[in-house]
């Protein structure tokens, strides 16, 4: 189990992590979400003992990372797939890790097979690996010591669709066997499929936390119409709150049946009506982090 309590980290005048607390439990994949610069990587580095916190604590199984005997056999960490000696081969990198942890050399072959790196690929130097191959090697290194806990920052970065599907299955199986996974990713669709718990961070603070089902249950209804201004007025008149959805239409704070009944007696022509949780994680993410987004998600009309 990973336990973070009142964690704070400041760089000069910038507070990267601001009084953050959460728990990641065995048997679950916890999705750690937030815009760039929100504090995800800093938090994960503190948990892994790579960055000191100004205050608060981060423990793994009740102790700090630095206090874990032979930590690679208890917690696997992948924060940067390129953070290995570029002149070493993939096999050499895993062999050094196995030797450091006191593992049999046969474990290297097991991990290479698990992540689908061929014998010829394992003999290539890291500098000649594609990003996807580096990710696979990084996952192999994280799993090398058969740890109970995984901390992964953007592990799907550089993987093709087949690779992403493979990684999803791997992590789901790992959690189902009792492992604890803390997963940071910008691939919201993948997180929505695999995660059990969600933590959303913005400007260094937790803005939402809970089970995926609980957080997405409040997504309401996605409704679109030919005349969305008229639709908004009808919903407002019926006391149903509605806000613009990220990909068009309105997100109404009511179930689809209630929205349908309100609209049925009007001249509003609907083009879509469904529970919003089909795209719920993206909708929720954009709403919760709207104050911290660099990009304006509304496209303005441009002159020719």
């Amino acid at each position: 189990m990973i336990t973070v309590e009142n964690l704070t980290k400041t760089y000069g005048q910038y507070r990267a992590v601001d009084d953050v607390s959460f728990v990641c439990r065995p048997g679950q994949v916890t999705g750690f979400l937030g815009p760039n610069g929100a504090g995800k990587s800093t938090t994960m580095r503190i948990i892994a003992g790579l960055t000191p916190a100004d205050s608060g604590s981060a423990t793994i199984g009740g102790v700090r990372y630095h206090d874990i005997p032979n930590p690679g056999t208890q917690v696997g960490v992948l924060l940067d797939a390129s953070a290995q000696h570029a002149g070493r081969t993939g096999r050499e990198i895993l062999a050094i890790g196995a030797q450091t942890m006191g593992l049999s050399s046969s474990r290297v072959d097991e991990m290479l097979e698990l992540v689908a790196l061929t014998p010829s690929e394992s003999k290539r130097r890291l500098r000649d690996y594609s990003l996807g191959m580096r990710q696979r090697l990084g996952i192999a290194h994280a799993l090398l010591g058969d740890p109970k806990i995984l901390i992964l920052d953007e592990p799907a970065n550089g993987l093709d669709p087949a690779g992403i599907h493979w990684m999803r299955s791997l992590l789901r199986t790992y959690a189902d066997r009792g492992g604890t996974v803390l997963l940071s990713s910008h691939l919201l669709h993948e997180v929505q499929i695999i995660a059990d718990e969600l933590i959303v961070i913005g400007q260094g603070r937790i803005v939402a936390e809970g089970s995926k089902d609980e957080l997405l249950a409040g997504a309401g209804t996605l409704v679109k119409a030919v005349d969305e201004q008229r639709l908004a007025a009808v919903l407002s008149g019926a006391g149903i709150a509605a806000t613009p959805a990220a990909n068009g239409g309105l997100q109404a704070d009511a179930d689809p049946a209630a929205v349908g009944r309100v609209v049925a007696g009007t001249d509003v022509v609907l083009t879509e009506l469904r529970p919003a949780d089909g795209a719920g994680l993206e909708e929720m993410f954009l709403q919760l982090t709207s104050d911290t987004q660099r990009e304006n998600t509304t496209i303005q009309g441009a002159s020719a």
Side-chain angles (χ1 to χ4, degrees):
M1 185 165 68
I2 301 172
T3 304
V4 174
E5 295 181 322
N6 307 116
L7 207 62
T8 298
K9 178 64 180 178
T10 302
Y11 296 99
Q13 300 298 315
Y14 173 64
R15 180 160 290 190
V17 180
D18 188 2
D19 195 30
V20 164
S21 299
F22 60 83
V23 174
C24 302
R25 295 176 174 82
Q28 296 182 339
V29 176
T30 300
F32 195 27
L33 309 175
N36 292 330
K40 303 186 303 299
S41 294
T42 299
T43 300
M44 298 176 93
R45 286 181 61 83
I46 292 172
I47 296 171
L50 297 173
T51 298
D54 295 337
S55 61
S57 65
T59 57
I60 300 170
V63 298
R64 297 186 310 158
Y65 184 90
H66 287 307
D67 297 328
I68 301 173
N70 201 358
T73 62
Q74 301 300 314
V75 54
V77 179
L78 174 59
L79 300 183
D80 183 353
S82 298
Q84 296 283 358
H85 194 298
R88 292 192 176 120
T89 68
R91 175 174 288 278
E92 287 172 343
I93 289 170
L94 292 182
I96 292 170
Q99 185 176 17
T100 301
M101 295 180 219
L103 305 175
S104 168
S105 60
S106 63
R107 186 66 177 168
V108 173
D109 294 310
E110 291 174 15
M111 290 300 97
L112 288 170
E113 183 177 356
L114 178 69
V115 302
L117 285 175
T118 67
S120 62
E121 289 171 338
S122 73
K123 295 176 183 178
R124 290 165 57 180
R125 301 190 186 280
L126 187 68
R127 68 166 64 97
D128 298 323
Y129 274 21
S130 67
L131 179 55
M133 291 172 65
R134 293 184 188 194
Q135 291 293 88
R136 288 177 180 269
L137 182 66
I139 292 171
H141 198 281
L143 290 169
L144 189 60
D146 194 19
K148 300 180 180 67
I149 295 169
L150 287 178
I151 300 172
L152 308 174
D153 192 4
E154 300 291 345
N157 190 20
L159 293 179
D160 59 22
I164 293 173
H165 177 79
W166 160 80
M167 186 200 68
R168 183 203 309 158
S169 300
L170 178 72
L171 297 183
R172 185 67 267 165
T173 300
Y174 178 89
D176 289 344
R177 291 177 177 172
T180 302
V181 181
L182 176 60
L183 169 68
S184 168
S185 179
H186 287 109
L187 300 178
L188 299 183
H189 175 68
E190 292 303 317
V191 174
Q192 183 165 342
I193 291 174
I194 192 175
D196 304 294
E197 299 284 319
L198 296 174
I199 300 167
V200 185
I201 188 172
Q203 294 183 332
R205 299 183 66 88
I206 302 297
V207 296
E209 180 181 7
S211 74
K212 178 178 65 179
D213 292 340
E214 289 172 349
L215 292 179
L216 296 183
T221 296
L222 178 66
V223 57
K224 298 182 180 181
V226 173
D227 185 344
E228 291 189 352
Q229 288 186 335
R230 172 65 178 146
L231 170 62
V234 168
L235 293 176
S236 177
I240 297 177
T243 57
N247 295 316
L250 300 174
Q251 189 156 333
D253 188 14
D255 61 55
V259 172
R261 282 193 295 269
V262 167
V263 174
T266 71
D267 58 353
V268 174
V269 178
L270 296 183
T271 58
E272 187 171 351
L273 176 66
R274 62 174 174 82
D277 58 1
L281 185 53
E282 180 178 357
E283 300 282 353
M284 184 194 72
F285 177 84
L286 292 174
Q287 288 179 9
L288 291 173
T289 62
S290 60
D291 293 338
T292 64
Q293 294 291 339
R294 296 176 185 272
E295 296 83 2
N296 182 350
T297 57
T298 302
I299 300 176
Q300 304 294 330
S303 58

